[in-house]
Amino acid sequence: MIVHPLETSLSFQFSFSISFKAYFKNMAEALVNVLLERLATITMDKVQGELNLVTGVEEEVKTLTSNLTAIQAVLKDAEARQAVDAGVRHWLHQLNEVSDEMDNVLDEWSYQVLKQRMEGENVKKVCCPSSSSCFRFGQVSQLNNRRHIAVRIEKLNEKLALIDKEKQRFNLQNNPPSRGPEIPRQETTCFPSDRIFGREKEKNIVLSKLLGESSQDCEIPLIIPIVGMGGMGKTTLSRQLAYNDENVKTHFDKRIWVCVSDPFIEVKIARAIVEGLDKDNTSKTSDSLQILMECIHSLIEGKKFLLVLDDVWNPRHTQWEELIKPFCHGAVGSRVLVTTRNEEVATLMKATAHVIYMKQLSEEFCSSLFYYNAGIDTGGEFEKFQNVGEKIVKKCDGLPLAAKTLGSLMREKKTLKEWEDVLNSKLWELEDVEQQVFRPLLLSYNDLTAEIRNCLLYCVIFPKDYVYDRDNLVELWMSQNYLNMEGSREMERLGQKYFDKLVMRYFFQEVEVNKYGEINCKIHDIIHDFMMYMTKNEYLIVNFRQPSLPTLDDEFRHLNEKIRHLTLINSYRAPGNLDKFRSCENLRTLVVLDSYARDISIGWREILQWKYVRTLTWLESGICAIPNEISGLIHLRYLDLSENGRLEELPDTMGSLYSLQTLRLVKCDCLKKVDLGRLINLRHLSVRGCRYLELRGIERLTNLQTLDEFYVQYGDEGNKLEHLKNLNQLQGRLTITYQGGPGARDAAIMVNKAHLLHLVLNVEGALRWNDLMALQPPPGLESLGIDRYRGIPLSTEWWSSLHSLRLLTLSRCNFLPALGNLASLESLNMKYVSVRKVGVEFLGIHDQDQSEASRRRHTSFPKLKQLTFDDMPIWEEWEGVKEDSEKMAIIMPRLSQLTISGCYSLEALPEFLWKTPLQKLHISKSRILQKLYRQGIGEQRAKISHISTINVEEP
C-alpha cells in the first residue's frame, strides 16, 4: 500500500498546487553547487595525475563548469520567480533532471578513478568518440564502460548548453553565487530550552486527575484522553508537565511512555510497554500478543502505574479491548493518559467524562512564547519590533508550534526591514495550504539554505515517531552529497552544524544528549506531515500494513520515473509487490523496515537493478547472505544491514564498493568475517554486538573516523590490538573488548588517537603487561570505562596523562587506583569493585607525600561533583584522613551528590565527607549505614542533617 505524500489515515486531505509544490521542492541551487564541487575535484585529479584526460573530454569538463557557473549566477532569481512563471518553473525542472543525471555520470567517473588506483590497472588509451585524442584508461576489459562515460559526458554537455541558452529568454538577473559552506569552528552545542507558556490550567487539571483520589478510582485504570489538533502541545503537556513531574514520579510504582502513531499495531505497542516496564525482559522481542499480554500482566499486577499512550489515531474497538485487558489488574489509582487529535478515540475508550481539551493559546501567551523564542525581552529592542511582531503573532492563530517556529526564525533577523519582509511575505497568501500551521513552517523552511533544506527533507525517509541519531543522520546526508564538500574531512562537522541549525528552528524536537555527547531527537508529527507535503513524487513511503489503500498499480504507474527515495515497511506481507518498483530506475535511497523475509532471495534481484542507489538500509529482515553482484552498486555510500541475526557471510566482492563511506552491521551476531581492506573511503563502521566478526584489513582504513566496538580475539588469527595503531582519525566513542590473544608488539597504540573522546575497555581474557601499555588512553579522553579488569593494578603513570577526563566508571575490577589527582574528573562511578578497604591513597594522598608544603598544595578530586559506590558487598572500611593531614589538604571541594548502594559490610563513612558541599545523599541496601544514618534514631544522623536532600532507605 502506498503512502504519499501523507499517511492516508489522516483525517484531512491536501490539494497539491503545481506552483506551490515546484516552488519549494526545486533544489537546483544545491544540485549545481554539488556538481561544481565535483567538477573541481575531477580537474584536480587531472592536475595531480590521478587520471590522464584526453583533450576532448578535458575540454568538455571545462565547458560543463563554465555553463554551470553561468547558470548558478541566476538561480536565486529563478527560484524566486518560479511560483509565478510557469516557464521558469519548467526550466528549473529540466535543470534538476540534467543535474541528477550529471551527478550519476560524475560519480561513475570518480569510481573509475578509484578502481584504477586500487586495482593498479595497466594504462591503455581509449579513443574519445568526439576527438582523435584518447583517454588513458585501464585494461581492455574496461573499454566499453569508459567509452560509455565519455559519450554521456558529451551528451550532457549538449543538454546543459541548451538549458544555459534558454535561460536568456527569461531575462533572469545575475546574483552573486551563494557562498560555499564554511567549516564550522569547534563550538559547544546550545539547543533551545523548551519553555512552556499558558498551560497552567491544563497542567493542574491533568495533575489533579493523575494524583487525586475519588470515586473515579473504582475504575482500574482510569483513562484520561488529551484531545487537540496537531501542533497544540499535547505531547509537551503530557511529558514535561505531567509524566516528568516530581510528584508524579513518586506517586506511581511504574511509569511507561509509548509513542503509538498510525497504524495501531497491538504487538508493536505491547513490546514497547514490556520494554518500558523491564528493559531486560526477553519477552519484549516476542511476536505473540498473548505472550506479551501475559508478561505485562505479571509486571503490573498489584502495582500503581501510569501508562502514557502518545499520538493515538484510529484503533479498532477489538484492538483496544485486547490491549487494555492486563492493565485492569493494576492497583487502585492506576492511570492511562492518552494524547490524540481524534475525539472519537475518547469515545472508543469509554473515557469521554475525563477528556481534557487543548485549545489555542491566548494572544498574550502566544506573544510571550513567540518573543521568548525570538530572544527578545521587554525593553528598547522589544519596542522596536513590537508593532510588526504583534501582527506576526496574530498569524500564529494561537498554535504553540507556529509561535515557536516563527520565533526561532526571527531570532536571526536583526533589522526592522527583515521583520517586515517576513510579515509581508507572499507565502502567507498561498491558498492551497490547508493546514494553517504549515505557513509558518514554510517561512522558516524557505529561510534555510538550499543545502540545509535538502538535509531536512531527507529525514522523511523514516516514519513518524522515529528516533533520529544525529551522527547517523549526518552519515545519511553525506551519502546523498548534501554536505557539498566532496572528499573533505570536515563533512561531519558541517553536518553537525546543519543539525544544530534545524534544532534551533524547531524542526527537530525532544532533543536528548547522553553522557557521551551522543544526540537523539524526534520530528513533530505536523512537521513530518509538512515534509511529506514538500516531497511529493520524489519520496515514497509504502506501508503494506496500512488498511484500505489504493492498489500499487493504480497509484504507482505515473510516479515510477520520478521517485528517488523509497521506504518499504512490513513488506514481508506482500513480497511479490517489490517487483512493481523495478521501474524506479533513478532510485537513490532504499529503506526497508520491519520486513522479516522468510524467502531470502526476495528483494535482491530488484535492488541490484537500481544501479544509482547511494543509500541502502535493510534492517531486521532475516536475510542469510548477500549476493556477489552487490559489487555492481558502484554508487553505494551507505549500507546498513543491522539486526540481521541470520546473516552469516558478506561476499568478498563488497571490496569493490570503493565509494562506501558508512557500513553498519550492528547485532549481526552470526557474521564471521568481512573484508574491509579495499574500502578506502570508509569513514564510519558500526559492528556493535558482532563479537565473532573478524575485520580483515581494518588496519588499512586510515580514513576511519568512527568505530563503535572492536573485539580483540583470542588466538593467532582474528582482530589484534596492532590493527588499531594507524587509525588515528578515530573520534567519538570506542569500546574495546579484549578476549585474549598474543601480546601487542607496540606500546603506543591508543595514546596517539587525539580525537577519541570516550573509551570503554572490557577485559574478558588475561591482559598482558604490553597490552596494558598499548591500551593507555589518549590524553584528550573525556570519559573512560573499565570492566572486569583483574590484572596488575594500573599505575599512577597510566592515569597521569588524563588531564581532560570528566567521567570514570570502574566495574567488576579487583583494585581501586589512586584517582584523587585527576584534575578534571566530575563523575566517578564504581560497581562490583572487589576491595575491603578504600585507603587515603584513593584520594591521591600517599605515605611518601608527608611534607607540610606538598600537603598544603594538594587538592584531592578538585572538580568531582558526583560519586557512586554500587554493589560492593565485601567493602568494610573507608579510611578517613588524619586531622593534621586534613588541615593541609582540600578534599572534594565540589562534591554535591553521593550514592552508596549494595555496600552491605561498610561500617562507617569518613568525617571529611561532611565538610564537602554535599547536597544529595542516597544510601540503600547497605544495612550498617542505614542504621547509622536513618531518620530519627540513627546514631550518626546529626552529622548529615545539613545536607538538603537525604534519602536513607529503611534497613
Side-chain angles (χ1 to χ4, degrees), residues 605-659:
R605 179 185 60 187
E606 292 78 9
I607 291 171
L608 296 174
Q609 294 188 37
W610 294 324
K611 57 183 179 179
Y612 297 123
V613 165
R614 269 99 167 137
T615 306
L616 174 57
T617 296
W618 194 298
L619 305 181
E620 204 175 357
S621 64
I623 54 177
C624 297
I626 305 296
N628 289 327
E629 291 79 7
I630 194 174
S631 60
L633 300 179
I634 65 173
H635 301 271
L636 198 63
R637 287 173 170 78
Y638 179 101
L639 177 61
D640 190 352
L641 299 171
S642 297
E643 300 188 61
N644 282 295
R646 295 169 58 195
L647 185 60
E648 298 177 355
E649 187 177 0
L650 294 176
D652 291 339
T653 55
M654 275 185 58
S656 298
L657 298 176
Y658 302 128
S659 299

Side-chain angles (χ1 to χ4, degrees), residues 279-319:
K279 65 180 181 179
D280 298 321
N281 196 294
T282 55
S283 296
K284 68 182 182 181
T285 60
S286 175
D287 291 322
S288 168
L289 184 60
Q290 180 64 30
I291 291 174
L292 291 166
M293 292 292 99
E294 290 173 358
C295 180
I296 293 171
H297 179 276
S298 65
L299 290 171
I300 60 96
E301 185 176 19
K303 294 182 173 65
K304 184 160 60 175
F305 64 83
L306 169 61
L307 170 64
V308 180
L309 299 176
D310 186 41
D311 194 27
V312 178
W313 283 83
N314 294 302
R316 296 193 302 273
H317 183 267
T318 52
Q319 290 178 311

